[in-house]
Amino acid sequence: MKELLAEPGFLAPSGTIGADISYLLAVVFTVLFLISWGMAKRAQGTRHHKLILVSMVSMIIYFVGYYYARSLGVLSFEGREGFGGPDDVYENVFKPVLFTHLSLVVLGMILAFYMLSQGFRASKKVEGDYSLNEGELKISPRKFKIVMFTIFISWGLLQGFLLVTRDNPLGASIAYTLIFATAALIVSLEKLIERILPDGAKRHRVLGRFTMVIYAMILVTSTATYLMLYFIYPLKS
């Protein structure tokens, strides 16, 4: 897979297939999210629900597979070797943009999981049509404990699997620990969010707008890194 992603691309003379596909999908997903957001603004709850569900699940599958194949994506994988510009531009422009992009991607993935779950919890289905259910939305203490316990048990089982199947599991162990710790943090933050925005429908609308801003910024930073790597400062052959 790594070899295929490193093959010459089709958008830029010095690009790779992996970089081109990554950028095109970033554009596609952002457009789908914008369309879905527009449906929600027009009170087309069912159409919004179906499109955002398919789009977010597809995005999650893509990111999990792609970042697994390239360790952390094409841009971070190539690092300084993938950038052909001067050192001052690399340090003062490219690296901050790349770091911002990767940070936004992580935040975007967290929001994708959270908004999917929160959307189902905050909605109701009446005669086949989805709409937001106005009113207080909270996780019961019992359900909160069950979710946290499930996360902890899943992390423990995965750590045991890594110890059995890998000769040097330290790197993978740390990575998966961070993922499960992030999941636990999200569940914990839900209790705080419940106090700030107790109404489930209002919470979904406010966080939905925030999520769209994050995805738009992901596209902007993705475009900037792609242009710098493969158009403005490509490696000289």
Side-chain angles (χ1 to χ4, degrees):
M1 179 61 75
K2 290 182 180 181
E3 290 76 14
L4 175 62
L5 293 176
E7 290 291 323
F10 48 87
L11 291 180
S14 60
T16 64
I17 289 179
D20 290 351
I21 292 176
S22 177
Y23 179 68
L24 287 177
L25 286 178
V27 174
V28 169
F29 287 134
T30 304
V31 171
L32 289 176
F33 293 147
L34 285 172
I35 294 173
S36 178
W37 186 44
M39 292 175 177
K41 297 286 285 184
R42 294 190 296 271
Q44 298 174 346
T46 301
R47 297 180 65 188
H48 165 78
H49 176 85
K50 291 180 178 179
L51 182 57
I52 202 70
L53 178 62
V54 171
S55 302
M56 280 198 169
V57 170
S58 300
M59 183 190 72
I60 290 169
I61 293 174
Y62 155 69
F63 272 117
V64 169
Y66 181 75
Y67 278 82
Y68 176 80
R70 292 306 300 266
S71 298
L72 195 55
V74 166
L75 301 179
S76 59
F77 181 82
E78 291 176 350
R80 183 65 178 91
E81 296 180 0
F83 183 80
D87 291 339
D88 60 335
V89 175
Y90 174 75
E91 291 293 337
N92 300 319
V93 180
F94 180 76
K95 278 181 67 175
V97 172
L98 177 58
F99 177 78
T100 301
H101 173 69
L102 293 176
S103 300
L104 289 171
V105 167
V106 173
L107 179 58
M109 289 294 291
I110 293 173
L111 287 171
F113 282 106
Y114 177 80
M115 292 303 295
L116 282 177
S117 171
Q118 205 271 333
F120 275 104
R121 293 170 54 227
S123 64
K124 59 182 178 181
K125 190 175 183 181
V126 180
E127 296 181 354
D129 291 328
Y130 283 94
S131 61
L132 288 176
N133 191 19
E134 306 288 342
E136 189 177 75
L137 180 65
K138 291 186 176 182
I139 298 179
S140 66
R142 180 176 181 275
K143 185 177 292 186
F144 176 77
K145 292 177 182 178
I146 291 175
V147 172
M148 295 296 286
F149 182 73
T150 301
I151 292 173
F152 178 76
I153 292 298
S154 300
W155 170 79
L157 291 174
L158 183 58
Q159 294 298 312
F161 176 77
L162 292 174
L163 288 174
V164 173
T165 58
R166 297 200 178 191
D167 295 331
N168 185 15
L170 180 60
S173 176
I174 293 174
Y176 283 113
T177 296
L178 291 175
I179 291 173
F180 279 96
T182 301
L185 178 61
I186 295 171
V187 177
S188 300
L189 286 176
E190 172 67 0
K191 303 302 291 182
L192 175 61
I193 296 173
E194 286 177 357
R195 296 184 179 182
I196 300 174
L197 295 169
D199 185 278
K202 182 178 181 180
R203 188 189 312 166
H204 193 72
R205 294 188 186 101
V206 171
L207 294 179
R209 288 193 291 269
F210 176 73
T211 301
M212 281 310 309
V213 171
I214 295 299
Y215 287 147
M217 291 175 64
I218 289 175
L219 180 59
V220 171
T221 53
S222 176
T223 301
T225 51
Y226 184 87
L227 290 176
M228 283 189 285
L229 275 175
Y230 303 116
F231 280 97
I232 303 175
Y233 301 111
L235 283 177
K236 295 181 174 62
S237 58

